[in-house]
């Protein structure tokens, strides 16, 4: 299948435009045209914006600087800026009459413009070559191309990995099936740092550096780094770059556990901000905006603020005013965009965290876009970025034997995002809307809208919903979430993303197809026709608010401590834990919010909460509890350990 790259020529000079289109079409017919360049004309800015906002095959726009529109000054300038805001991945060229016009464009819209042509030069062969080269740069995958080239060179392997391009597996009576399952090309491409032409992730100067530069341009960053151990490692790298032991940071308690691990590794002093909670559905939302503003004002010595946007359920902050307030206080802002790496490539999802002013953004490129699992990116726009320090921390966490197929997948995912991301995301949005309507028509299942999902405390905060994340209320179906997941999996071959006690979450991505949607709707419709009587679904107990820290999380974590049982001999919450200081991060999953972090003082309601979860929510995992002799234990500081730690006056 050959690609199509549509070029819009925007001009109200109909005769000139017709001549240009005819000449460019003639050139396209006789010259090499691997990207399928084709040319169409529109006469007004509104038509150009409409096409750019609806046609995913538009790749380049040529705007006549002489464009005139009634009641509009500098319409070419305005159109250039509007197109850039709508679809920043599009290439934009201005058609000039003279150099004076170029000066105006450079002053008013230089950030949006990729190049210029002079209307009267009529060098259409030259124009075509430049536009083809523009598409070639956009479609380049420097690392992936070099990886393919190396594999095709068929070099004998006298280096790691030990399977030697799959030769240890091929033909084996025991494991030959793995060779067949994974495929020869994937195994031949599993190489190591012993191949200099493939560059080094730890010190990139060649094709990896080129791929990262292209990614930075695509995502709107000054610098972009590829990570092969997910956003979990990416968050830790940034923490260790920005925070020294004892530095204060503000963080959403609902952050991913890697953020809390980063607190331990950096030795920072955290100020935890409780998330908003929708108790009807067991969904945790953003931290209320006023809580964040109050925390910024109350902690003038804070160095970092980290937030998650969007959340697992698709709720995203109105980031711009929050970031502006943080920057006014001298606070760097990190945004975990693990679930929102696609947002740059469709206006329905924007603005992104980078566009809202964030200094650092981490993204799981594998979650919605086409990268392999574990493949992530770190984007940097910090004006005081210390690249040497960052690189030292990056290398501390990055394997010296990174998986090169992961790097290639990041290169390819970026290419797809800038060339057809808009079209694929537009399809996902339309399928999401259609699927909403179909699910609601079953009568037994209902897709929750933003108003249903928003906790009361953030209703005035400008929170938005990513419509590709569908949270489905199942409470009228007669099924429990465990039963429903089992039925979908075993009877209909469908695996969902996650669940709460009365909802399931469906994730639409660039890989969602109409056929998949049809099969899902058919499954839910069949289950709805069973007409089971609705039944009460046990609610998850309310997570206790944060108590207080007695010491730095790192200090508590690295002490030996002692282990006390969660339940006493009568099976009741163990009162001996009350007042003790926890050494570990204890996380009920789902929802994945720490109920205790290292250094936190344990209160009676926290012990009761954990005990009730273990008794009533059998499907929940309790990460961080030790298990001894068949019972769960909490690791806590001994009294002598607590007394020996540095002064704790600052936590009181």
């Amino acid at each position: 299948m050959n690609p199509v790259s549509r070029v819009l020529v925007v001009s109200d000079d109909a005769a000139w435009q017709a001549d240009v289109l005819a000449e460019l079409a003639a050139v396209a017919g006789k010259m090499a045209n691997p990207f399928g360049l084709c040319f169409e004309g529109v006469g007004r800015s509104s038509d150009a914006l409409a096409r750019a906002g609806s046609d995913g095959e538009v790749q380049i726009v040529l705007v006549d600087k002489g464009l005139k529109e009634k009641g509009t000054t500098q319409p070419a300038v305005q159109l250039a800026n509007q197109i850039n805001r709508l679809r920043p991945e599009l290439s934009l060229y201005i058609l000039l009459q003279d150099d004076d016009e170029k000066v105006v464009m450079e002053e008013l819209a230089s950030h949006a413009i990729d190049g210029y042509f002079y209307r009267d030069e009529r060098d259409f062969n030259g124009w075509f070559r430049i536009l083809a080269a523009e598409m070639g740069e956009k479609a380049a995958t420097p690392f992936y191309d070099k990886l393919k080239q190396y594999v095709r060179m068929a070099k004998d392997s006298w280096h790691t990995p030990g399977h030697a391009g799959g030769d240890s597996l091929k033909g084996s009576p025991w494991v030959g099936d793995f060779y067949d399952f994974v495929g020869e090309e994937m195994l031949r491409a599993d190489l190591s740092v012993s191949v200099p032409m493939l560059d080094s992730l730890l010190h990139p100067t060649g094709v990896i550096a080129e791929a990262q530069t292209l990614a930075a341009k695509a995502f709107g960053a000054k610098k972009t780094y590829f990570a092969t151990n997910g956003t979990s490692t990416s968050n830790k790298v940034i923490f260790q770059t920005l925070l020294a032991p004892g530095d204060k940071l503000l963080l959403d308690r609902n952050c991913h556990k890697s953020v809390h691990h980063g607190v331990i590794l950096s030795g920072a002093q955290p100020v935890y901000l409780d998330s908003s909670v929708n108790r009807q559905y067991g969904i945790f939302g953003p931290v209320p905006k006023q809580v964040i503003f109050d925390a910024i004002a109350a902690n003038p010595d804070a160095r970092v603020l980290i937030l998650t946007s969007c959340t697992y359920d698709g709720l995203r902050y109105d980031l711009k005013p929050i970031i502006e307030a943080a920057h006014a206080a001298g606070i760097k802002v990190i945004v975990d965009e693990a679930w929102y790496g696609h947002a740059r490539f469709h206006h329905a999802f924007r603005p992104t965290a980078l566009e809202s002013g964030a200094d650092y953004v981490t993204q799981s490129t594998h979650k919605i876009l086409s990268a392999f699992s574990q493949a992530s990116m770190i984007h940097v726009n910090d004006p005081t970025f210390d690249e040497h320090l960052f690189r030292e921390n990056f290398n501390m966490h990055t394997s010296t034997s990174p998986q090169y197929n992961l790097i290639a997948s990041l290169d390819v995912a970026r290419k797809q995002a800038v060339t057809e991301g808009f079209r694929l995301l537009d399809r996902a949005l339309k399928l999401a809307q259609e699927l909403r309507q179909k699910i609601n028509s079953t009568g037994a299942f209902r897709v929750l809208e933003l108003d249903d999902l928003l906790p009361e405390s953030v209703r005035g905060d400008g929170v938005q919903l990513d419509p590709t994340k569908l949270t489905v209320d199942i409470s009228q179906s007669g099924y429990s979430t465990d039963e429903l997941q089992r039925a979908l999996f075993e009877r209909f071959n469908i695996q969902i993303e996650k669940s709460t006690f009365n909802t399931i979450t469906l994730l639409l991505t660039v890989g969602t197809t109409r056929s998949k949607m049809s099969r899902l709707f058919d499954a839910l419709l069949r289950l709805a026709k069973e007409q089971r009587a609705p039944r009460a679904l046990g609610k998850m107990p309310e997570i206790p608010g944060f108590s207080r820290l007695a010491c730095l999380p790192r200090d508590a974590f690295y002490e030996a401590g002692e282990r006390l049982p969660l339940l006493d001999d009568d099976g009741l919450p163990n009162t001996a834990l009350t007042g003790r200081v926890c050494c570990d991060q204890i996380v009920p999953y789902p929802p994945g919010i720490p109920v205790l972090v290292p250094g936190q003082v344990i209160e009676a309601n926290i012990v009761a909460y954990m005990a009730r979860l273990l008794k009533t929510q059998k499907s929940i995992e309790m990460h961080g509890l030790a298990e001894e002799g068949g019972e769960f234990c909490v690791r806590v500081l001994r009294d002598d350990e607590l007394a020996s730690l540095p002064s704790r006056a600052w936590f009181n």
Side-chain angles (χ1 to χ4, degrees), residues 36 99 154 161 321 370 503 544 556 617:
D99 284 334
S370 293
T503 70
Q617 305 289 326

Side-chain angles (χ1 to χ4, degrees), residues 201 212 215 219 224-235 336-338 361-367 371-379 394 406-407 409-411:
L201 185 63
Q212 291 182 158
F219 287 88
T224 290
Y225 300 86
F226 290 171
T228 57
N229 197 27
T231 299
S232 297
T233 290
S234 302
N235 287 332
D336 183 335
E337 263 190 343
V361 171
T362 56
Q363 292 176 341
S364 294
T365 319
H366 61 91
K367 280 186 163 62
F372 287 170
S373 292
Q374 288 187 215
S376 294
M377 294 187 190
I378 302 171
H379 303 297
F394 183 89
L406 296 183
I407 302 172
S409 79
L410 285 167
D411 205 10

